Short mmCIF file of all heavy atoms in Angstrom, two decimals:
data_model
loop_
_atom_site.label_atom_id
_atom_site.label_comp_id
_atom_site.label_asym_id
_atom_site.label_seq_id
_atom_site.Cartn_x
_atom_site.Cartn_y
_atom_site.Cartn_z
N VAL A 47 24.50 -25.72 7.75
CA VAL A 47 24.77 -25.34 9.13
C VAL A 47 23.78 -24.26 9.52
O VAL A 47 23.45 -23.39 8.72
CB VAL A 47 26.22 -24.82 9.28
CG1 VAL A 47 26.44 -24.19 10.63
CG2 VAL A 47 27.21 -25.95 9.06
N THR A 48 23.31 -24.31 10.76
CA THR A 48 22.41 -23.30 11.30
C THR A 48 23.09 -22.66 12.50
O THR A 48 23.63 -23.36 13.36
CB THR A 48 21.07 -23.94 11.74
OG1 THR A 48 20.51 -24.64 10.63
CG2 THR A 48 20.09 -22.88 12.21
N VAL A 49 23.05 -21.31 12.52
CA VAL A 49 23.58 -20.56 13.66
C VAL A 49 22.52 -19.58 14.14
O VAL A 49 21.61 -19.23 13.39
CB VAL A 49 24.88 -19.79 13.32
CG1 VAL A 49 25.99 -20.73 12.88
CG2 VAL A 49 24.64 -18.71 12.28
N SER A 50 22.68 -19.14 15.38
CA SER A 50 21.79 -18.10 15.91
C SER A 50 22.21 -16.76 15.33
O SER A 50 23.27 -16.65 14.70
CB SER A 50 21.89 -18.04 17.44
OG SER A 50 23.12 -17.46 17.82
N GLY A 51 21.43 -15.75 15.59
CA GLY A 51 21.76 -14.41 15.14
C GLY A 51 23.03 -13.87 15.74
O GLY A 51 23.65 -12.96 15.19
N MET A 52 23.45 -14.44 16.85
CA MET A 52 24.70 -14.03 17.48
C MET A 52 25.86 -14.95 17.09
O MET A 52 26.96 -14.83 17.60
CB MET A 52 24.56 -14.02 19.01
CG MET A 52 23.55 -13.01 19.51
SD MET A 52 24.09 -11.30 19.21
CE MET A 52 22.80 -10.71 18.14
N GLY A 53 25.60 -15.89 16.18
CA GLY A 53 26.65 -16.75 15.66
C GLY A 53 26.84 -18.07 16.40
O GLY A 53 27.73 -18.84 16.05
N ALA A 54 26.00 -18.37 17.39
CA ALA A 54 26.14 -19.63 18.12
C ALA A 54 25.66 -20.78 17.23
O ALA A 54 24.59 -20.71 16.62
CB ALA A 54 25.32 -19.60 19.40
N LEU A 55 26.44 -21.82 17.17
CA LEU A 55 26.11 -22.98 16.35
C LEU A 55 24.89 -23.69 16.91
O LEU A 55 24.83 -24.04 18.08
CB LEU A 55 27.31 -23.94 16.32
CG LEU A 55 27.18 -25.15 15.43
CD1 LEU A 55 27.02 -24.75 13.97
CD2 LEU A 55 28.41 -26.04 15.60
N ARG A 56 23.89 -23.89 16.05
CA ARG A 56 22.66 -24.57 16.48
C ARG A 56 22.50 -25.94 15.84
O ARG A 56 21.77 -26.78 16.35
CB ARG A 56 21.44 -23.71 16.18
CG ARG A 56 21.35 -22.49 17.09
CD ARG A 56 20.02 -21.83 16.97
NE ARG A 56 19.89 -20.76 17.96
CZ ARG A 56 19.01 -19.79 17.89
NH1 ARG A 56 18.16 -19.74 16.89
NH2 ARG A 56 18.97 -18.87 18.83
N GLY A 57 23.13 -26.14 14.70
CA GLY A 57 22.98 -27.44 14.07
C GLY A 57 23.85 -27.61 12.84
O GLY A 57 24.17 -26.63 12.16
N ILE A 58 24.24 -28.86 12.59
CA ILE A 58 24.99 -29.22 11.39
C ILE A 58 24.28 -30.41 10.77
O ILE A 58 23.97 -31.39 11.46
CB ILE A 58 26.44 -29.63 11.74
CG1 ILE A 58 27.19 -28.48 12.40
CG2 ILE A 58 27.17 -30.11 10.48
CD1 ILE A 58 28.56 -28.87 12.94
N ASP A 59 24.01 -30.31 9.48
CA ASP A 59 23.38 -31.42 8.77
C ASP A 59 24.26 -31.78 7.58
O ASP A 59 24.55 -30.93 6.74
CB ASP A 59 21.98 -31.04 8.28
CG ASP A 59 21.32 -32.17 7.53
OD1 ASP A 59 21.20 -33.27 8.10
OD2 ASP A 59 20.94 -31.96 6.35
N ILE A 60 24.70 -33.03 7.55
CA ILE A 60 25.48 -33.52 6.42
C ILE A 60 24.61 -34.56 5.72
O ILE A 60 24.28 -35.60 6.30
CB ILE A 60 26.82 -34.13 6.88
CG1 ILE A 60 27.63 -33.08 7.65
CG2 ILE A 60 27.59 -34.66 5.68
CD1 ILE A 60 28.90 -33.62 8.28
N HIS A 61 24.23 -34.24 4.50
CA HIS A 61 23.35 -35.13 3.74
C HIS A 61 24.05 -36.47 3.52
O HIS A 61 25.27 -36.54 3.36
CB HIS A 61 22.99 -34.48 2.40
CG HIS A 61 21.85 -35.15 1.73
ND1 HIS A 61 22.01 -36.23 0.91
CD2 HIS A 61 20.53 -34.88 1.76
CE1 HIS A 61 20.83 -36.62 0.46
NE2 HIS A 61 19.90 -35.80 0.96
N VAL A 62 23.28 -37.52 3.49
CA VAL A 62 23.82 -38.87 3.36
C VAL A 62 24.65 -39.02 2.10
O VAL A 62 25.69 -39.71 2.12
CB VAL A 62 22.68 -39.93 3.45
CG1 VAL A 62 21.76 -39.86 2.25
CG2 VAL A 62 23.27 -41.32 3.63
#
Side-chain angles (χ1 to χ4, degrees):
V47 169
T48 305
V49 299
S50 73
M52 296 293 118
L55 184 62
R56 289 192 173 162
I58 299 172
D59 180 56
I60 302 173
H61 194 274
V62 67

